Amino acid sequence: MSTFTDLGLIEPLLRALTAEGYTTPTPIQTQAIPMLLAGRDMLGIAQTGTGKTAAFALPILQRMSENRTKAAPRCPRALILTPTRELAVQIGEGFGTYGKHLGFKRAVIYGGVGQGPQVSAMNAGVEILVATPGRLLDLMNQRHINLQHVEFLVLDEADRMLDMGFIRDVKVIVSKIVAQRQTLLFSATMPEAVMSLAKGILKEYERVEVTPQSTTVERIDQRIMFVARDDKRKLLVELLKDKSMSRTLVFTRTKHCANRVAEVLAKSGISADAIHGNKSQNARQRSLDAFKSGRARVLVATDIAARGIDVDGISHVINYELPADPESYVHRIGRTARAGTTGAAISFCDAEEVSDLRAIERATRQSIAVDTTHAFHAAHVATRSERNGGQKTPQRQPQRNRSGRGGGGGGRNGSGGGGSGRPWENRSRAA
Ligand code: AMP
């Protein structure tokens, strides 16, 4: 088995990796790092979770440090394009972590926020720029960014760029970069359009393909329960009659809702506590201790309050309300199934949350199994949406699980006979 030293990495990078607790390179790192250090272009078929960020960040950092130049205003040397703000931030942090002893300046730019700080950062000069395509193009058009000196180009999650309609922007951006660059393209899947993009932008390239190790999310038994908003309390109390829900973390969107849910549970004789930003640090610690020790079987939390909760042995995560963004969904359910154990996550979904559910399924590339053990709740969703305007419920194509694993319609969900249990797909069941 190779080590990071065997891969030819320099001491400042090795030191950073040791500090991070990385001892062994992942398969994509083992394959990619030597060829990238040698200056080759690369097509990487790999998903997030395989260690691909380090696989490209480490060799780029090393090659940049071998040929140091002063950071020039507006002119980055390395450009990493990625489809979402969350990924951009994550990749920026990766470069920060791995390159902490090399002293390169970096910036992360994405849309949906003011451009002022991003423009200032570019003016001050950065060597490494991580960006989403739309905002990057916008700032290029305003002449705040110039890509003439880009030596390293990474196109991350190319298939998602395609899905999200960014490919045209990407092509415009790439056309502004000189041909003598090292180019890397990563994608979890290789549809025709991504392959032709790859051929258009890569020189002679090496192809590296890795299958992801099972991630935490895949070890979690995920289920959706369609339920009318007003029935969520009843459903929660009903579910918690199951004693196998020994340590259950319930998520709500608001502090107010967290309090209310904890009260309802307490009234039903279920030991529960709420944790959120309105509580003092001491009160939060007390709630957390009660949950850890088992004095409280249920902890009701908001996303922000739950950050940093590291409690072993959480048997179930319940999304009483779905989060507005898929990243939060993944963070929430990742509280269970820690350290190689399994866990379960049940999400309540009312009529207004259906679009949130779709966003989660799209982002996590899976179709979450529908649990119809409480089938009458689905009927409530449909009746409610009919009351709210009476339009036809939108038709929906079943989501493909692009990783080829898992997927909806597991045996447990009781929705056999071809029905998905989704109220928007299966009117006869719901009506
Ligand atoms: P990525 O696929 O780049 O999103 O990485 C997935 C996760 O694995 C990140 O949290 C990294 O910090 C972590 N990671 C990457 N490489 C290694 C490694 N060689 N050893 C341990 N953890 C790693």
Side-chain angles (χ1 to χ4, degrees):
M1 195 177 286
S2 63
T3 63
F4 284 108
T5 314
D6 298 337
L7 299 180
L9 292 172
I10 52 177
E11 191 276 333
L13 293 174
L14 294 173
R15 203 156 19 114
L17 292 172
T18 306
E20 278 304 291
Y22 293 11
T23 49
T24 318
T26 66
I28 194 163
Q29 291 162 2
T30 305
Q31 293 178 62
I33 290 173
M35 71 174 71
L36 293 175
L37 286 175
R40 306 295 310 259
D41 278 8
M42 190 182 115
L43 174 67
I45 303 167
Q47 289 186 347
T48 296
T50 52
K52 72 181 157 103
T53 312
F56 65 75
L58 292 165
I60 289 176
L61 286 162
Q62 178 153 336
R63 296 201 66 211
M64 284 176 64
S65 75
E66 282 163 358
N67 171 25
R68 281 199 97 105
T69 54
K70 201 170 168 298
R74 294 180 294 283
C75 296
R77 294 179 64 192
L79 172 66
I80 297 87
L81 282 176
T82 192
T84 68
R85 166 189 179 150
E86 288 76 17
L87 281 166
V89 169
Q90 219 168 287
I91 293 168
E93 285 170 358
F95 272 94
T97 305
Y98 309 134
K100 69 178 169 194
H101 302 300
L102 294 175
F104 289 118
K105 295 209 192 96
R106 62 182 200 281
V108 179
I109 68 172
Y110 43 78
V113 296
Q115 69 172 45
Q118 300 175 357
V119 170
S120 307
M122 293 313 299
N123 281 334
V126 301
E127 283 111 336
I128 299 159
L129 176 61
V130 187
T132 56
R135 174 58 62 93
L136 173 62
L137 203 52
D138 200 4
L139 296 188
M140 283 164 65
N141 289 337
Q142 297 175 53
R143 302 190 185 283
H144 292 305
I145 297 177
N146 176 332
L147 299 184
Q148 267 175 15
H149 300 284
V150 169
E151 300 159 54
F152 306 94
L153 170 66
V154 181
L155 239 125
D156 190 33
E157 307 249 342
D159 51 352
R160 277 176 83 188
M161 299 260 203
L162 190 73
D163 287 349
M164 294 169 76
F166 290 151
I167 287 293
R168 250 193 43 199
D169 287 354
V170 168
K171 284 185 175 160
V172 175
I173 292 165
V174 174
S175 73
K176 308 286 182 204
I177 304 175
V178 293
Q180 297 92 315
R181 56 171 194 251
Q182 185 176 18
T183 311
L184 286 60
L185 184 146
F186 287 91
S187 196
T189 56
M190 263 308 142
E192 196 70 30
V194 171
M195 202 57 229
S196 88
L197 176 75
K199 286 190 177 136
I201 67 172
L202 299 172
K203 294 189 295 276
E204 244 177 70
Y205 61 86
E206 304 272 356
R207 182 183 159 114
V208 170
E209 183 164 359
V210 294
T211 43
Q213 295 159 336
S214 94
T215 60
T216 308
V217 169
E218 286 159 346
R219 280 188 272 109
I220 301 172
D221 169 17
Q222 299 172 62
R223 281 178 274 161
I224 286 284
M225 286 186 164
F226 291 107
V227 53
R229 176 168 304 193
D230 298 344
D231 288 330
K232 285 187 174 183
R233 295 177 196 195
K234 263 192 287 174
L235 179 58
L236 182 62
V237 172
E238 214 168 298
L239 289 178
L240 283 164
K241 286 181 183 159
D242 180 353
K243 291 286 179 268
S244 76
M245 294 193 155
S246 50
R247 187 168 286 169
T248 301
L249 184 58
V250 176
F251 281 97
T252 63
R253 279 203 196 187
T254 65
K255 302 165 198 166
H256 179 62
C257 185
N259 281 338
R260 266 206 344 252
V261 171
E263 279 164 26
V264 167
L265 292 178
K267 274 191 194 140
S268 310
I270 297 163
S271 55
D273 227 327
I275 186 166
H276 54 67
N278 275 6
K279 291 201 163 183
S280 69
Q281 193 56 44
N282 281 345
R284 284 157 72 161
Q285 197 53 50
R286 271 200 303 276
S287 303
L288 205 53
D289 290 345
F291 187 53
K292 277 186 183 167
S293 70
R295 269 178 289 128
R297 199 178 135 211
V298 181
L299 186 66
V300 190
T302 56
D303 288 294
I304 292 175
R307 225 162 264 168
I309 291 184
D310 192 9
V311 180
D312 285 336
I314 292 180
S315 62
H316 292 75
V317 168
I318 295 183
N319 290 312
Y320 189 85
E321 295 170 309
L322 281 175
D325 62 303
E327 299 280 326
S328 298
Y329 174 82
V330 174
H331 281 151
R332 285 180 178 190
I333 70 169
R335 305 290 156 169
T336 179
R338 289 179 99 91
T341 61
T342 55
I346 301 170
S347 299
F348 294 176
C349 179
D350 68 30
E352 272 105 68
E353 293 172 307
V354 168
S355 57
D356 296 325
L357 171 61
R358 289 185 187 178
I360 289 165
E361 290 191 321
R362 261 198 311 275
T364 57
R365 299 186 162 120
Q366 62 176 347
S367 172
I368 304 172
V370 178
D371 189 325
T372 50
T373 331
H374 301 266
F376 75 98
H377 294 291
H380 286 215
V381 174
T383 340
R384 185 187 170 93
S385 68
E386 275 161 15
R387 275 206 307 271
N388 289 352
Q391 325 108 304
K392 251 179 134 29
T393 318
Q395 283 296 317
R396 179 180 184 279
Q397 290 299 315
Q399 197 78 34
R400 292 256 178 284
N401 180 342
R402 297 217 257 149
S403 67
R405 262 185 317 279
R412 125 190 46 74
N413 67 21
S415 64
S420 68
R422 286 164 163 69
W424 61 88
E425 283 176 356
N426 204 344
R427 298 280 293 168
S428 59
R429 174 187 300 278

